[in-house]
Amino acid sequence: MLNPFFLQGSSGEQGLLQDLINEQLRMYGVEVYYMPRKYMTKNTVIEEVIESQFENAYPIEAYVSSYDGYGGQGTILSKFGIQDLDDLTLVISKERFENYITPLIKNISNIELSTRPKEGDLIFFPLGNKIFEIKYVEHESPFYQLQKNYVYELRCELFRYGDEVIDTDIDTIDDVIEDYG
């Protein structure tokens, strides 16, 4: 039997839980920069992105899920040289993204999805001065506590620079790109 002292999904309970999650992210998280991808040229047959740009970077607090460092295979030596294959799992607030970042990017042209983080966008992680690409966005974890979802879990891999134009006007990010790219 469910607890009779809770309504199991009232707006007050949901708001309280969202506020607690937001506070925890501010206390235990790290400030990262979210960089949405602008699709400049796409192949119309297979919807392949040919040219993209990253011109904006928005700070948002994120919790690093792995407490023991980066995941993935680490730095390996392959036939293509030394490769860094780090990955990172971050948790961000759904409410914070929808109330802060969505209004800023919804009117920018060539951004296809502005209501949630999307695969292909970039995250600048300042603790390691690394840029990660979002590979998967889990939006149902934890699964419907009090009949609502409160966070996005971003599974990211180290960004491999190609022909993308990255110019955010934030010196720390642009310096990493100049050194790396």
Side-chain angles (χ1 to χ4, degrees):
M1 182 162 122
L2 296 175
N3 190 334
F5 299 106
F6 291 93
L7 300 175
Q8 299 300 325
S10 71
S11 62
E13 291 171 348
Q14 290 174 346
L16 174 64
L17 188 56
Q18 183 69 62
D19 290 343
L20 290 172
I21 289 171
N22 291 347
E23 183 176 353
Q24 181 183 14
L25 288 172
R26 286 188 195 107
M27 287 175 23
Y28 301 115
V30 62
E31 186 174 76
V32 299
Y33 285 90
Y34 174 78
M35 295 183 282
R37 179 183 297 261
K38 289 178 70 173
Y39 297 98
M40 304 311 291
T41 308
K42 281 179 90 172
N43 188 336
T44 56
V45 177
I46 60 173
E47 295 296 318
E48 178 186 17
V49 177
I50 296 172
E51 183 182 0
S52 59
Q53 291 182 352
F54 299 92
E55 296 177 341
N56 302 312
Y58 305 103
I60 190 167
E61 55 275 352
Y63 178 74
V64 181
S65 291
S66 57
Y67 63 89
D68 57 348
Y70 300 114
Q73 298 177 10
T75 304
I76 63 169
L77 179 62
S78 71
K79 63 182 176 181
F80 301 110
I82 297 174
Q83 294 180 340
D84 201 0
L85 301 175
D86 290 335
D87 60 16
L88 185 66
T89 302
L90 299 171
V91 176
I92 64 170
S93 169
K94 186 175 181 180
E95 178 188 63
R96 181 91 165 104
F97 188 90
E98 291 171 353
N99 291 341
Y100 171 61
I101 294 179
T102 297
L104 296 173
I105 66 174
K106 69 179 179 181
N107 294 326
I108 297 176
S109 62
N110 299 331
I111 292 181
E112 292 185 355
L113 181 64
S114 64
T115 57
R116 68 169 182 87
K118 67 182 176 305
E119 294 79 3
D121 292 348
L122 300 182
I123 299 286
F124 175 71
F125 189 65
L127 295 180
N129 276 344
K130 294 185 177 185
I131 296 177
F132 289 89
E133 182 178 2
I134 299 172
K135 291 295 185 179
Y136 182 70
V137 178
E138 177 63 58
H139 61 279
E140 291 184 332
S141 175
F143 192 69
Y144 292 100
Q145 293 179 338
L146 297 178
Q147 302 175 8
K148 187 178 174 189
N149 292 320
Y150 304 94
V151 296
Y152 293 117
E153 185 177 82
L154 309 177
R155 297 185 190 141
C156 308
E157 289 180 2
L158 196 61
F159 177 63
R160 294 182 189 191
Y161 184 75
D163 291 332
E164 295 87 357
V165 175
I166 301 175
D167 186 18
T168 62
D169 292 331
I170 297 175
D171 293 335
T172 55
I173 297 173
D174 293 341
D175 290 344
V176 168
I177 292 300
E178 286 177 11
D179 295 341
Y180 181 68

